[in-house]
């Protein structure tokens, strides 16, 4: 994959790599680089870096070199990987002024048109106003309706559960961001979000596109042998533009017609209209860009985490049974859980924490970037390094989470209550420092209400073949920056006749 490029490009590449390589060496100071696999001249560790699931290789190197900071060199690109909470806190939190930039990925930003990505403080401020821990409570009604609609869709068509999750997540985000009500799966907006995020997921994988390592390759024309990335980028660029423009234009049309329901976009545009702001055009663009970021960042991640929940219930039926027993004891039959019930459902909360930890959906978060030379624990961190917090390694640290690959909600409990002494996976599952996911409060409340509602009413079991034998899922995940489960089969049925009636009663009128 990394080297999906024809041999006719190699001579040009060699020259460019040589240029970048020598430039980097000239800047070297006297401190050693953090440990890491042995580097070859010019190409460094390009051949050591797997094209998939890099986080596991980083984790192995971290153990092999007994260091929570390691260094790899991908043909001149310096990559620093942090594998402990202490290291990410020391760099991403305590030195956030240095470590909060994003990597300028040529493929993503220049070729695919993601130049509107959230980055500036202004974006984050606007985002924070609507999605901080208190403000997200305003979305509870929409989240509740979305969960109830999901239950009914599963009852009607239990086959493709991931499609239902994508629909729930995209629909919810469209609702709160633009006031657009998505009714049917496969509608243009959901499809658009899926396509756009698939592109991002591929384009951001370290090592996947050489043009990210060697930006000068962006000048290679698309007809040139081996320049398939240019053709891919062109297709994705179209999708990116539509993602930015289409839903925003929809909301503006509704505002003009006087029929726009309250949403992030309509409320912010109304506030702008009422203000004496003399940079309205600029500010409107800020709202549009921020909205597209919410839509892009929030849908696939939430759907992937819900897919992980189903995987987890298949892997550990006992956990499902315990969670259902807890809900039954607290709520009794015929009642669906609500947000206020969360405090009385510690086992369900522990299931949620374990989902965020077990197969976390963003295994290397989103890489950060350091633009100046720095040093840490006697090691040199070169300017221009990509700095990765290895979330996967942190959430699979056996000293913190014994038997880390098993799905065990009990690890978060003590005496029937959540144990505050066990590290909450949220501190790493949503990334680090100043760039930590600003949508995390909404993400966890959506996950809670959806998971609890499913557990209250549905049984999730392994599918069976025509002979009645259970089909074991692969438990494999898409190896991208966002890692949802690969397609799998399962059987989801109402727990009882009463449960089916409860679903119908709760969701009637919402569709
Ligand atoms: C389970 C669900 C989710 C997971 C696992 C997740 C994870 C992440 C991670 C790892 C990052 C990068 C942090 C870093 O750079 O260190 C991030 C960024 C971001 N997330 Fe989420 N996220 C989720 C849901 C959401 C939702 C629902 C929204 C919107 C409502 C959202 C909006 C964003 C935005 C806008 C950013 C970019 C922040 C920036 O670059 O400064 N996320 N998320």
């Amino acid at each position: 994959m990394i080297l999906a490029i024809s041999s006719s490009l190699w001579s040009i590449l060699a020259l460019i790599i040589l240029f970048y390589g020598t430039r980097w060496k000239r800047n070297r100071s006297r401190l050693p680089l953090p440990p890491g696999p042995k580097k070859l001249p010019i190409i460094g560790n390009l051949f050591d870096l797997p094209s998939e699931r890099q986080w596991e290789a980083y984790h192995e190197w971290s153990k092999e070199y007994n260091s929570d900071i390691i260094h790899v060199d991908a043909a001149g690109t310096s990559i620093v990987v942090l594998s402990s909470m202490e290291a990410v806190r020391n760099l991403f939190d305590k030195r956030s002024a240095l470590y909060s930039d994003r990597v300028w990925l040529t493929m993503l930003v220049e070729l695919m048109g993601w130049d509107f990505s959230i980055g500036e403080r202004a974006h984050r401020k606007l985002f924070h106003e609507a999605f901080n821990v208190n403000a997200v409570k305003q979305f509870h009604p929409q989240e509740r309706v979305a969960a109830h609609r999901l239950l009914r869709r599963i009852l009607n068509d239990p086959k493709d559960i991931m499609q239902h999750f994508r629909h729930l997540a995209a629909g919810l985000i469209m609702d709160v961001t633009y006031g657009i009500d998505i009714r049917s799966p496969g509608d243009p907006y959901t499809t658009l979000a899926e396509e756009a995020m698939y592109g991002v997921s591929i384009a951001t994988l370290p090592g996947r596109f050489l043009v990210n390592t060697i930006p000068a390759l962006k000048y290679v024309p698309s007809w040139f042998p081996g320049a398939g990335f240019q053709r891919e980028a062109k297709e994705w660029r179209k999708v990116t533009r539509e993602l930015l423009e289409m839903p925003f234009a929809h909301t503006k049309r509704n505002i003009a017609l006087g029929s726009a329901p309250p949403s992030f976009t309509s409320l912010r545009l109304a506030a702008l209209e009422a203000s004496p702001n003399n940079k309205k055009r600029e500010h409107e663009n800020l709202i549009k860009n921020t909205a597209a970021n919410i839509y892009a960042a929030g849908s696939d991640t939430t759907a992937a985490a819900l897919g992980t929940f189903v995987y987890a219930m298949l892997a550990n039926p006992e956990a499902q049974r315990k969670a259902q027993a807890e809900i039954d004891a607290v709520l009794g039959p015929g009642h669906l859980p609500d947000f206020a019930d969360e405090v009385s459902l510690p086992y369900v909360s522990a299931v949620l924490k374990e989902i965020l930890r077990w197969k976390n959906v963003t295994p290397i978060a989103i890489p950060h970037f350091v633009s100046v030379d720095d040093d840490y624990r006697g090691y040199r961190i070169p300017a221009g390094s990509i700095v990765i917090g290895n979330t996967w390694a942190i959430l699979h640290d056996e000293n913190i989470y014994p038997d880390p690959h098993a799905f065990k909600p009990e690890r978060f409990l003590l005496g029937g209550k959540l144990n505050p002494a066990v590290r909450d996976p949220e501190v790493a599952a949503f990334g680090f420092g100043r760039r930590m996911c600003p949508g995390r409060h909404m993400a966890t409340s959506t996950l809670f209400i959806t998971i609890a509602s499913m557990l209250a009413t549905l049984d999730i079991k392994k599918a069976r073949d025509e002979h009645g034998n259970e089909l074991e899922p692969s438990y494999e995940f898409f190896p991208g920056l966002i890692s949802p489960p690969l397609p799998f089969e399962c059987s989801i049925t109402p727990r009882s006749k009463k449960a089916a009636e409860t679903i119908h009663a709760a969701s009637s009128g919402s569709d």
Side-chain angles (χ1 to χ4, degrees):
M1 293 285 211
I2 306 172
L3 301 171
I5 190 153
S6 93
S7 57
S8 55
L9 267 183
W10 276 110
S11 47
I12 305 172
L13 292 186
L15 284 174
I16 299 167
I17 292 171
L18 198 64
F19 169 73
Y20 275 88
T22 45
R23 202 177 53 161
W24 182 47
K25 283 199 178 82
R26 252 186 272 131
N27 291 340
R28 221 159 55 179
S29 77
R30 270 172 305 163
L31 286 176
L33 286 169
K38 199 169 159 12
K39 297 162 177 65
L40 289 172
I42 300 173
I43 57 166
N45 303 112
L46 198 61
F47 293 125
D48 300 317
L49 278 168
S51 60
E52 292 186 348
R53 305 185 64 78
Q54 288 94 351
W55 43 91
E56 289 182 358
Y58 296 147
H59 192 31
E60 285 313 310
W61 285 327
S62 158
K63 286 192 217 164
E64 186 181 332
Y65 299 100
N66 194 22
S67 171
D68 61 359
I69 174 165
I70 59 155
H71 184 266
V72 283
D73 169 359
T77 299
S78 166
I79 304 177
V80 173
V81 187
L82 311 172
S83 305
S84 75
M85 217 43 226
E86 193 194 349
V88 296
R89 282 199 178 120
N90 282 332
L91 296 187
F92 291 146
D93 288 339
K94 295 194 183 147
R95 300 186 197 172
S96 67
L98 294 186
Y99 287 89
S100 296
D101 286 342
R102 284 272 182 246
V103 183
W104 183 269
L105 289 175
T106 310
M107 179 71 180
L108 186 75
V109 181
E110 293 181 54
L111 300 183
M112 286 167 59
W114 278 86
D115 47 5
F116 61 89
S117 279
I118 198 163
E120 300 164 30
R121 269 168 201 271
H123 283 132
R124 290 205 291 269
K125 190 168 167 284
L126 210 55
F127 197 100
H128 184 75
E129 278 165 22
F131 292 91
N132 66 56
V133 69
N134 289 318
V136 288
K137 292 190 182 129
Q138 67 184 310
F139 306 129
H140 281 178
Q142 285 104 313
E143 289 173 303
R144 198 183 293 115
V145 168
H148 296 171
R149 281 182 181 176
L150 170 84
L151 298 178
R152 201 176 60 206
R153 289 200 181 103
I154 298 174
L155 268 197
N156 293 343
D157 174 16
K159 268 268 167 272
D160 189 353
I161 186 69
M162 283 310 294
Q163 170 68 17
H164 291 308
F165 287 153
R166 283 192 290 269
H167 185 197
L168 171 137
L172 190 54
I173 295 283
M174 287 303 293
D175 190 1
V176 305
T177 310
Y178 297 107
I180 297 177
D181 189 359
I182 289 176
R183 295 290 167 122
S184 55
D187 83 298
Y189 291 119
T190 321
T191 313
L192 192 59
E194 279 172 16
E195 277 178 39
M197 290 318 290
Y198 176 74
V200 173
S201 177
I202 302 288
T204 47
L205 269 182
R208 173 64 176 79
F209 286 104
L210 212 47
V211 65
N212 284 334
T213 313
I214 305 159
L217 285 177
K218 70 185 173 195
Y219 299 115
V220 175
S222 57
W223 50 263
F224 202 80
F229 67 94
Q230 291 281 26
R231 292 185 288 276
E232 282 182 83
K234 199 172 161 207
E235 284 304 306
W236 277 330
R237 192 180 181 87
K238 229 172 77 208
V239 178
T240 312
R241 280 296 114 183
E242 284 174 0
L243 178 84
L244 183 65
E245 302 293 347
M246 264 175 56
F248 190 75
H250 185 127
T251 308
K252 280 194 80 174
R253 263 196 314 276
N254 281 349
I255 294 174
L257 294 170
S259 60
S263 67
F264 170 83
T265 303
S266 68
L267 294 174
R268 290 298 169 288
L269 286 176
L272 179 64
E273 199 52 46
S275 77
N277 195 326
N278 56 3
K279 288 189 178 162
K280 283 202 173 145
R281 184 98 202 128
E282 206 178 288
H283 209 87
E284 191 177 303
N285 271 336
L286 188 69
I287 296 170
K288 179 163 73 177
N289 293 351
T290 309
N293 276 292
I294 301 173
Y295 177 35
S299 55
D300 265 18
T301 40
T302 306
L306 288 169
T308 307
F309 159 68
V310 172
Y311 252 8
M313 296 300 96
L314 298 175
N316 189 344
E318 187 55 16
Q320 178 174 196
R321 201 196 53 71
K322 285 188 190 165
Q324 289 175 330
E326 181 181 75
I327 292 174
D328 291 350
V330 172
L331 294 165
H335 296 283
L336 283 169
D338 210 339
F339 292 96
D341 299 314
E342 191 169 359
V343 285
S344 322
L345 299 170
Y347 195 85
V348 176
S349 303
V351 166
L352 175 44
K353 289 190 190 306
E354 189 65 339
I355 288 160
L356 293 173
R357 185 203 71 81
W358 180 54
K359 307 273 186 186
N360 59 298
V361 299
T362 44
I364 50 169
I366 302 178
H368 295 210
F369 183 78
V370 59
S371 56
V372 293
D373 279 320
D374 194 20
D375 62 274
Y376 179 61
R377 288 205 197 128
Y379 296 122
R380 176 164 55 97
I381 299 182
S385 293
I386 293 175
V387 188
I388 294 174
N390 192 349
T391 304
W392 195 86
I394 292 169
L395 296 178
H396 292 84
D397 178 345
E398 51 231 339
N399 298 317
I400 309 289
Y401 308 110
D403 195 6
H405 299 287
F407 184 85
K408 282 189 187 170
E410 288 74 12
R411 66 174 87 246
F412 296 106
L413 297 168
L414 185 67
K417 291 200 175 115
L418 285 174
N419 180 359
V422 181
R423 182 187 290 154
D424 190 333
E426 278 188 41
V427 298
F430 291 105
F432 309 102
R434 208 186 274 169
R435 304 309 290 258
M436 190 177 200
C437 174
R440 62 192 181 280
H441 305 300
M442 173 153 173
T444 47
S445 66
T446 304
L447 291 177
F448 168 76
I449 199 70
T450 310
I451 288 167
S453 304
M454 286 182 71
L455 287 166
T457 52
L458 301 168
D459 275 327
I460 301 167
K461 292 192 185 133
K462 287 175 192 157
R464 290 181 184 272
D465 66 16
E466 64 274 22
H467 307 295
N469 302 318
E470 275 188 348
L471 296 170
E472 195 63 40
S474 68
Y475 301 112
E476 292 285 335
F477 287 76
F478 177 76
L481 200 68
I482 300 173
S483 298
L486 288 179
F488 63 99
E489 285 187 60
C490 64
S491 150
I492 306 189
T493 50
R495 288 179 63 198
S496 62
K497 199 162 159 277
K498 177 88 192 154
E501 284 164 12
T502 307
I503 292 175
H504 283 298
S507 57
S508 67
S510 71
D511 244 346

